[in-house]
Amino acid sequence: MNRLVNMLIIIVIGLQMSPSAKANWFDQKVAEQPAVKKVIEYLDEHFQQQVAQWITISEIPAPPGQEKMRAKYISAQFRQLGLIPQNDELGNIWVVLKGIKQGPTLLFAAHMDTVFDADTDVKVTRKNGRLYGPGVWDNSASVANMLAVVEAMVKTGYQPQGDVIFLATVQEEAGLVGMKYFMKKQSNNIDYVAALDGNLGPILYGALGIYWMDMTFTAAGAHTVNSYNQPHPAKAAAHCILDIYDIDLDIKEHQETPLGIFNVGQVHGGKIYNGIPPEVNVTVDLRSADPKELKRLNSEITQACKSAADNESVSFELSYKVKNAAGGTINKMKPAFNGDFVQTIISIQSYTGALKQGQIPAIATGSTDANIGVVRGLPSFSMGRSYGKDQHTLGEWADIASAKVGTNQIIYLLAALDASQQ
Ligand SMILES: [Zn+2]
């Protein structure tokens, strides 16, 4: 081949590569810096202590809104390392590791709460390389990973470029309540958000919008014998339910799930056989990653049920138990996907081997504390803790060894951001 052909090939390869050559802060050199290696070695040597702490955390009951005991334990661990934990009125708790420069601030957030009530037996059993127990994977694993990294950083003297915040949130399972509260007050000081949650595997860089709608139909009520033609909350509720299932969903050919979806989850009302119930409640769980579709469905559902109430001459009231905004469709999330932050964690995942063969590296939706960062326009994602299964059930389990990968990825992400600042 002559030089001209050679050059042409180089140019062609260059052209082909440039659109897909994405910015990324991580490479092997980052992982091999002495300060990073020290942290990894420390984590490795202390992994059995990490697992013991993981079990301890998991065995402290923490229903949403009742995370106090768990928070107290975490606080004590921070204090033992000479750190000063901060907290807010809701019970979120965090430490800030100060940066040596005026670099960007990275927030790691792991939720403390579980879906289980205070009476659930949360004893953990260890069997065949797994931990079994309600909440052991979601999200005690992440809390333990996070504590291990904080300890390793402190003990090895790792100094970040910018500030790093390690936050344990409350009430994630109740609709990201704690994170929302924290970000309302602190988001001006935060540049990047990494929620620690979910399976080890594809990261989630989008935000599924979720509305939990509570609709109440009320009227005076009446004895059956006097009920002829009287306003009837149950009839209104019935029309409401049937009518909203007539709303067209936006489902494209070859797609399995529509752009937005909803479900009637609860119907309550009435206490007696022989009278019109004065109050009937209907709840709807509405979800879409597309803000426009979320808005459309919300307004059509509201309109349909309001009309059903008007036609029946009963009162109608709507409130929201959860109202979490949507991040955007996969197209809208493209800049986030191509951004440094997401590309860096993708690169870290190939380095650590967190992704299984054929798995896509990142998904444009999500329903974790990272959502709050996404809808605020901050580079955000949630990254996995370990492999496991059956979260939100009593049979929940987590693979022990893979928690090491989930833990290492935390320090690699921080080190990559630091490397980008040098
Ligand atoms: Zn979770």
Side-chain angles (χ1 to χ4, degrees):
M1 262 185 284
N2 66 37
R3 267 188 59 197
L4 188 66
V5 172
N6 254 337
M7 263 175 65
L8 275 173
I9 288 172
I10 289 167
I11 289 167
V12 169
I13 290 173
L15 283 174
Q16 278 177 338
M17 275 183 65
S18 53
S20 59
K22 287 157 185 151
N24 151 33
W25 307 319
F26 183 82
D27 58 23
Q28 193 159 349
K29 268 191 276 168
V30 171
E32 283 171 0
Q33 293 172 97
V36 180
K37 275 174 83 176
K38 261 203 231 166
V39 173
I40 298 288
E41 274 162 27
Y42 185 95
L43 288 168
D44 218 44
E45 282 162 17
H46 294 80
F47 188 65
Q48 284 321 313
Q49 283 104 300
Q50 178 181 336
V51 176
Q53 190 162 58
W54 176 4
I55 294 170
T56 304
I57 292 164
S58 195
E59 290 184 339
I60 306 171
Q66 299 173 54
E67 302 90 346
K68 244 192 195 134
M69 292 295 291
R70 208 173 264 202
K72 209 172 148 192
Y73 174 82
I74 294 164
S75 265
Q77 305 311 304
F78 285 148
R79 277 207 191 87
Q80 262 182 27
L81 296 169
L83 302 169
I84 301 161
Q86 304 178 49
N87 55 56
D88 60 26
E89 299 83 345
L90 276 197
N92 291 308
I93 164 158
W94 67 95
V95 286
V96 183
L97 299 194
K98 277 290 188 201
I100 47 176
K101 281 210 278 194
Q102 212 57 327
T105 298
L106 171 57
L107 168 68
F108 288 102
H111 71 86
M112 286 185 278
D113 59 315
T114 73
V115 294
F116 303 99
D117 62 29
D119 297 333
T120 308
D121 181 2
V122 285
K123 185 106 194 81
V124 174
T125 49
R126 190 173 178 159
K127 208 168 59 189
N128 302 331
R130 292 175 177 178
L131 295 181
Y132 289 82
V136 72
W137 190 41
D138 183 17
N139 197 26
S140 306
S142 292
V143 175
N145 292 355
M146 184 170 85
L147 284 181
V149 168
V150 175
E151 180 181 324
M153 284 175 68
V154 170
K155 293 286 168 112
T156 63
Y158 185 96
Q159 291 189 306
Q161 299 290 311
D163 291 354
V164 193
I165 304 173
F166 291 96
L167 165 70
T169 64
V170 294
Q171 298 186 53
E172 190 266 355
E173 302 287 6
L176 321 180
V177 177
M179 184 65 161
K180 222 190 276 179
Y181 189 82
F182 178 84
M183 291 295 277
K184 209 170 175 181
K185 300 198 160 178
Q186 309 278 345
S187 70
N188 287 344
N189 310 319
I190 289 159
D191 301 287
Y192 298 97
V193 177
L196 307 174
D197 202 348
N199 203 354
L200 202 57
I203 59 111
L204 309 176
Y205 65 96
L208 186 65
I210 299 180
Y211 289 3
W212 283 357
M213 309 172 76
D214 240 303
M215 294 184 285
T216 307
F217 301 87
T218 48
H223 191 285
T224 306
V225 293
N226 302 320
S227 65
Y228 182 66
N229 260 346
Q230 291 305 304
H232 203 305
K235 274 174 72 184
H239 280 294
C240 149
I241 293 169
L242 290 174
D243 291 351
I244 65 177
Y245 277 102
D246 277 340
I247 295 171
D248 283 329
L249 297 183
D250 184 344
I251 181 146
K252 307 265 183 307
E253 232 182 307
H254 311 302
Q255 263 176 4
E256 277 171 33
T257 44
L259 189 56
I261 193 158
F262 60 84
N263 170 58
V264 173
Q266 300 173 65
V267 182
H268 303 286
K271 290 197 175 89
I272 53 171
Y273 288 87
N274 47 358
I276 291 177
E279 184 175 312
V280 174
N281 303 88
V282 174
T283 70
V284 173
D285 176 17
L286 166 64
R287 299 168 174 232
S288 180
D290 180 29
K292 267 198 214 136
E293 184 66 351
L294 196 62
K295 198 174 163 198
R296 175 185 79 92
L297 290 173
N298 177 55
S299 109
E300 289 194 24
I301 291 167
T302 306
Q303 204 42 56
C305 293
K306 171 109 185 32
S307 301
D310 289 348
N311 291 342
E312 193 54 41
S313 301
V314 305
S315 304
F316 174 75
E317 220 175 287
L318 167 65
S319 63
Y320 293 86
K321 177 91 188 342
V322 167
K323 201 170 185 184
N324 287 336
T329 56
I330 189 162
N331 271 338
K332 209 194 142 207
M333 294 304 294
K334 220 168 229 164
F337 177 80
N338 290 328
D340 302 342
F341 196 49
V342 169
Q343 288 303 313
T344 296
I345 190 68
I346 289 174
S347 167
I348 289 170
Q349 289 197 314
S350 15
Y351 181 78
T352 61
L355 290 171
K356 290 179 175 163
Q357 192 98 45
Q359 260 187 324
I360 55 160
I363 296 172
T365 182
S367 184
T368 71
D369 278 340
N371 285 31
I372 308 299
V374 172
V375 298
R376 282 182 174 267
L378 295 172
S380 308
F381 53 72
S382 75
M383 53 196 277
R385 50 212 168 200
S386 65
Y387 300 118
K389 221 178 161 220
D390 297 334
Q391 64 186 22
H392 296 195
T393 76
L394 296 175
E396 181 173 347
W397 61 266
D399 171 70
I400 297 173
S402 59
K404 218 183 238 188
V405 178
T407 308
N408 291 353
Q409 291 193 152
I410 298 174
I411 191 67
Y412 285 146
L413 181 63
L414 173 60
L417 177 61
D418 284 345
S420 79
Q421 297 300 306
Q422 278 162 355

